[in-house]
Amino acid sequence: MKNYLEMMRFVRDHGQDRGDRTGTGTRSVFGYQMRFDLQEGFPLLTTKKVHFASVAKELLWFISGDTNIQWLVKNNVRIWNEWPYQKFVASEFYTGETMAEFIERIKTDDAFAKQFGDLGPVYGKQWRDFNGVDQLNNVIEQIKHNPNSRRIILSAWNPEFIEEMALPPCHAFLQFYVSEDKKLSLQLYQRSADIFLGVPFNIASYALLVHMIAKVCDLQVGEFVHSFGDAHIYADHFDAVETQLARDVRTLPQLVIHGNQSSIDDFSYEDFELVGYDPHPLIKAKVSV
C-alpha cells in the first residue's frame, strides 16, 4: 500500500487549499491514479486498522439494492449514519435526540426507519435498478459471455436522481476488463475522494467486488485501478495524516472466500476470511458531512 501513502504525501505537499461544501476546508489535487495487483494480496491498509467488516457489509448492502440504513445499523455498520441524522435534526420531528438515540430508533422502529433511514436512490438502487436496468447483473453477464467488450460498465451517477440522494455518488463509474489470461480487472473513477477516511474503504470495497465477481465468473483476479477527480485531505485530518505517514508498511493480508457461489446475490459476510491482517492501530478522525 505504498502507493496510497505516496498519494497522501503528494496531496499534502503539492495540493492547493480550497473551500468545500462542508465548510471544513481541504487540500486537494485534481486527477490521480493508483494501481493494485490483487494477486499480491488484498489491499487493506496496514498503516492503520480498517474495519473490514464494515467494508464487506456495506458492499453486500449495495449489492442487495437497499438504500435504507436500517440493515446497516442492525449489523453494526455506522458509516452512513451522519447523513440521515442530519436530515432528522433539520426536521420538525427532532426534539433533541442524540445520534445514539436516533440510531436505536432506526434499529427498532420500522416506521421511523422508513421515514428517516432512507438515503434516496443511492448506490444500491443505481446498481440494481438504473431506470429499470440491473446494471450489476448486466456487467456479470457481459463478463461471462462477451469478455472482450469495451462496454462492461456500471454507473452510479444518474443525473435524474442526484438531488434526491443524501450524498451524490463519490465512487461513480466502473469499467471491467478481462485479460487473455482470464484475469478480471476493474477501474473505478471516483469524482471526490476523502483520502484519509474514505479512500481506504473504497479501495478495499472495490477490490472485494472484483474478487466476488471473479468467483461467480470463474476467473482469477487481476488489477484494481483507482482513478480520482478531486482527491483531498480535509483540513482537520492533517495531524492524523502525519501519524499515518510515520508508520511502516506491513505485509498485505490474503482474502479467502468460502463457499460455491454462482450468483452475486449468494454471498454473505460469513463467507469472507481475511488471513494475516496485522495493521497498526486505528487512527480516529472526524467525518465531514
Side-chain angles (χ1 to χ4, degrees):
M1 299 291 285
K2 289 181 180 178
N3 46 0
Y4 168 79
L5 299 179
E6 288 168 359
M7 178 176 74
M8 185 177 278
R9 288 192 186 94
F10 183 83
V11 175
R12 180 197 64 182
D13 296 343
H14 302 288
Q16 61 176 262
D17 294 329
R18 295 162 56 88
D20 76 295
R21 172 187 54 81
T22 71
T24 307
T26 67
R27 184 168 299 167
S28 84
V29 300
F30 184 64
Y32 199 95
Q33 187 179 85
M34 298 187 293
R35 305 182 78 97
F36 301 91
D37 183 349
L38 300 182
Q39 292 287 324
E40 294 180 353
F42 188 75
L44 194 63
L45 207 63
T46 62
T47 45
K48 69 171 183 180
K49 185 176 182 179
V50 177
H51 194 236
F52 177 73
S54 293
V55 172
K57 290 175 182 179
E58 182 198 41
L59 179 59
L60 292 169
W61 178 71
F62 289 162
I63 289 169
S64 76
D66 196 359
T67 61
N68 194 295
I69 66 167
Q70 188 182 52
W71 184 88
L72 292 176
V73 299
K74 284 183 175 180
N75 284 274
N76 300 311
V77 179
R78 301 185 295 270
I79 53 182
W80 280 96
N81 291 355
E82 296 286 348
W83 286 270
Y85 179 62
Q86 187 179 55
K87 181 180 178 182
F88 174 63
V89 168
S91 77
E92 61 181 312
F93 300 98
Y94 176 66
T95 57
E97 290 87 348
T98 65
M99 170 69 86
E101 290 169 335
F102 171 75
I103 292 304
E104 184 60 28
R105 194 167 173 194
I106 289 285
K107 189 181 296 186
T108 59
D109 185 336
D110 291 346
F112 183 79
K114 184 176 181 180
Q115 183 175 7
F116 289 108
D118 196 77
L119 299 166
V122 293
Y123 298 97
K125 172 68 172 176
Q126 303 309 323
W127 285 20
R128 305 310 302 261
D129 181 12
F130 189 108
N131 299 349
V133 177
D134 185 341
Q135 294 189 92
L136 183 57
N137 185 63
N138 283 0
V139 158
I140 292 168
E141 289 303 303
Q142 287 186 79
I143 290 168
K144 288 180 176 179
H145 304 296
N146 190 17
N148 291 332
S149 174
R150 297 185 291 269
R151 303 175 184 177
I152 310 177
I153 286 169
L154 185 155
S155 174
W157 191 269
N158 189 339
E160 182 179 356
F161 297 106
I162 293 299
E163 296 303 318
E164 298 179 26
M165 300 179 186
L167 181 68
C170 294
H171 27 108
F173 189 90
L174 290 69
Q175 184 173 3
F176 294 86
Y177 181 93
V178 182
S179 64
E180 292 301 312
D181 57 352
K182 304 300 182 184
K183 291 179 181 177
L184 178 67
S185 295
L186 165 63
Q187 179 167 196
L188 165 68
Y189 179 79
Q190 185 163 350
R191 66 165 182 90
S192 176
D194 171 356
I195 293 173
F196 183 76
L197 280 182
V199 170
F201 269 72
N202 304 140
I203 295 168
S205 180
Y206 284 95
L208 179 56
L209 182 63
V210 176
H211 276 271
M212 294 167 71
I213 294 178
K215 182 158 189 179
V216 300
C217 294
D218 197 24
L219 298 168
Q220 298 297 310
V221 292
E223 285 189 298
F224 170 55
V225 183
H226 203 164
S227 299
F228 299 94
D230 188 319
H232 51 267
I233 300 169
Y234 277 102
D236 55 359
H237 290 174
F238 282 115
D239 288 345
V241 163
E242 293 304 323
T243 298
Q244 187 169 354
L245 288 174
R247 293 176 172 179
D248 61 290
V249 175
R250 295 177 177 175
T251 303
L252 291 179
Q254 299 294 320
L255 176 71
V256 178
I257 301 180
H258 301 285
N260 297 303
Q261 299 84 0
S262 60
S263 165
I264 196 65
D265 299 303
D266 290 345
F267 294 89
S268 65
Y269 173 66
E270 291 71 26
D271 297 330
F272 306 129
E273 181 183 1
L274 208 57
V275 179
Y277 187 44
D278 179 31
H280 289 270
L282 175 71
I283 305 171
K284 292 186 177 181
K286 181 182 177 182
V287 62
S288 291
V289 297

